[in-house]
Amino acid sequence: CSRTEERAERSERDLLQWKKMRLLEDRVGDHFHGRITGVQEFGLFVLLEDYGVDGLVPIATLRDDFYHFDPRAVRLIGEKSDRVFRLADRVEVVLIGVNERHRGLDLEIVDMPPPEPKHRQPGRKGRRPGHERPSRDRHRRQRDGRGRRRRKR
């Protein structure tokens, strides 16, 4: 194959992936059957059987246990439950979103517990103590007598 042919094939694959993503945009929240086509320490790649498109199940969405990546066997193993996700396993997933930037689907395994709500302490604005924003007063500018700006001291 020449470089031009390789580029054409890559472009065709990218276009097909983009079209499949656009088709599935309206199906967010729907359940699909798929097969695990890749296992990495950051999650699972799942091929949706009816559409032939891959999506990612991030490891952070596997909330029923803490999973360890086994690179030799290419699998994720649950620490407490011994639940295993390996290549070619059939899974049911729910489409969480379409990630146009990465041209992929965001998926989640169906039988996972919901995420725990993040508790915030009352009266906190989200900044850690000692990391408050500096006052804007020292950055304000004032005008001198001739209409020019000068820094406030």
Side-chain angles (χ1 to χ4, degrees), residues 16 19-21 23-24 27 30-35 37 46-55 90-93 105 107:
L16 287 173
K19 284 184 174 185
K20 290 174 186 177
M21 284 178 24
L23 174 72
L24 291 170
R27 306 279 313 267
D30 289 356
H31 292 216
F32 300 93
H33 292 286
R35 293 223 179 250
T37 57
V46 175
L47 178 71
L48 302 184
E49 291 176 348
D50 294 336
Y51 294 94
V53 62
D54 273 313
R90 196 158 190 265
V91 291
E92 186 176 358
V93 294
L105 304 175
L107 305 172

Side-chain angles (χ1 to χ4, degrees), residues 35-93:
R35 293 223 179 250
I36 297 175
T37 57
V39 181
Q40 297 290 326
E41 57 190 15
F42 56 83
L44 307 167
F45 289 98
V46 175
L47 178 71
L48 302 184
E49 291 176 348
D50 294 336
Y51 294 94
V53 62
D54 273 313
L56 175 66
V57 178
I59 198 166
T61 64
L62 302 176
R63 293 180 293 272
D64 65 334
D65 202 347
F66 185 82
Y67 286 85
H68 295 280
F69 176 59
D70 179 2
R72 281 192 174 159
V74 192
R75 62 185 180 173
L76 289 176
I77 305 168
E79 190 173 273
K80 296 176 185 167
S81 65
D82 290 331
R83 184 174 183 180
V84 177
F85 292 102
R86 64 177 66 90
L87 289 175
D89 280 354
R90 196 158 190 265
V91 291
E92 186 176 358
V93 294

Side-chain angles (χ1 to χ4, degrees), residues 2 10 21 25 29 51 70 75-76 78 80 89 92 99 109 123 127 138 142 144 146:
S2 71
R10 192 175 328 118
M21 284 178 24
E25 269 182 335
Y51 294 94
D70 179 2
R75 62 185 180 173
L76 289 176
K80 296 176 185 167
D89 280 354
E92 186 176 358
N99 190 330
I109 302 290
R127 294 202 175 267
R138 61 189 184 105
Q142 290 182 339
D144 64 8
R146 291 179 256 167

Side-chain angles (χ1 to χ4, degrees), residues 86-152:
R86 64 177 66 90
L87 289 175
D89 280 354
R90 196 158 190 265
V91 291
E92 186 176 358
V93 294
V94 61
L95 179 61
I96 300 301
V98 175
N99 190 330
E100 291 188 27
R101 182 172 166 227
H102 296 290
R103 292 194 178 165
L105 304 175
D106 296 326
L107 305 172
E108 189 173 302
I109 302 290
V110 168
D111 60 351
M112 289 294 142
E116 292 182 20
K118 294 182 180 178
H119 298 289
R120 294 184 68 177
Q121 293 178 356
R124 289 200 55 194
K125 300 268 185 186
R127 294 202 175 267
R128 295 190 317 244
H131 291 86
E132 290 80 21
R133 283 194 179 150
S135 170
R136 293 180 153 235
D137 288 340
R138 61 189 184 105
H139 297 293
R140 281 208 184 110
R141 295 177 180 239
Q142 290 182 339
R143 301 211 182 252
D144 64 8
R146 291 179 256 167
R148 292 181 294 189
R149 292 182 148 192
R150 65 180 171 90
R151 283 219 176 254
K152 182 180 177 181

